[in-house]
């Protein structure tokens, strides 16, 4: 099992930036495919960004491509989501997730992931 703890959420003005962190612990290996999802009030959970277990591939939702960047620091067992040019529609609870498989593609469905953090709230004001 893997425990995930997100941090870095908060109130941000439109056009600003924020970096979310997700620290993993309890896993049997240091590298997993990881993803960020978000869920806004009245909307379904949606995929935001993913990073392959070997660190060689990233994938982004069209809504955030060019503004958000996913990365990891393997020495700290931490994945990041750098969010730039934030918009009010980015307001949501952001969760990180782990895919324990060795799939060669990055899953874009919540069902592709096995472990989840509790989430961190990001609110973007106008």
């Amino acid at each position: 099992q893997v425990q995930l703890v997100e941090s870095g959420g908060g109130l941000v003005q439109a056009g600003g930036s924020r970096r979310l962190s997700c620290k993993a612990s309890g896993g049997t290996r240091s590298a997993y495919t990881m993803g960020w999802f978000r869920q806004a009030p009245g909307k379904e959970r949606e995929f935001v960004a993913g990073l392959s277990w070997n660190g060689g591939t990233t994938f982004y939702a069209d809504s955030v491509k060019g503004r958000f960047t996913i990365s990891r620091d393997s020495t700290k067992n931490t994945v990041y989501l750098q969010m730039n040019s934030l918009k009010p529609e980015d307001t949501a609870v952001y969760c990180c997730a782990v895919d324990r498989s060795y799939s060669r593609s990055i899953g874009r469905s919540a069902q592709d992931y096995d472990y989840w953090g509790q989430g961190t709230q990001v609110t973007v004001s106008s």
Side-chain angles (χ1 to χ4, degrees):
Q1 62 182 22
V2 179
Q3 291 81 44
L4 303 171
V5 179
E6 302 99 333
S7 62
L11 178 63
V12 190
Q13 64 182 7
S17 299
R18 196 83 174 184
R19 188 178 75 165
L20 306 182
S21 299
C22 173
K23 187 173 183 179
S25 62
T28 59
R29 52 189 169 95
S30 60
Y32 297 90
T33 292
M34 302 192 72
W36 284 97
F37 290 77
R38 68 185 182 186
Q39 187 166 21
K43 298 181 180 179
E44 295 184 350
R45 180 183 294 175
E46 66 173 336
F47 172 83
V48 176
L51 178 64
S52 63
W53 65 270
N54 60 9
T57 306
T58 58
F59 194 86
Y60 298 92
D62 289 342
S63 59
V64 306
K65 192 172 185 179
R67 299 189 297 118
F68 291 10
T69 303
I70 186 172
S71 63
R72 64 156 42 95
D73 184 340
S74 296
T75 64
K76 299 180 179 180
N77 207 20
T78 300
V79 65
Y80 303 97
L81 184 68
Q82 178 66 46
M83 306 182 295
N84 298 326
S85 301
L86 284 162
K87 306 174 182 179
E89 52 262 43
D90 294 319
T91 295
V93 174
Y94 285 73
C95 294
C96 64
V98 166
D99 176 3
R100 63 181 177 177
S101 76
Y102 288 99
S103 176
R104 305 193 74 170
S105 61
I106 298 172
R108 291 176 285 174
S109 170
Q111 294 185 349
D112 294 323
Y113 294 84
D114 303 290
Y115 304 104
W116 295 81
Q118 66 179 27
T120 185
Q121 175 72 45
V122 175
T123 302
V124 184
S125 64
S126 59

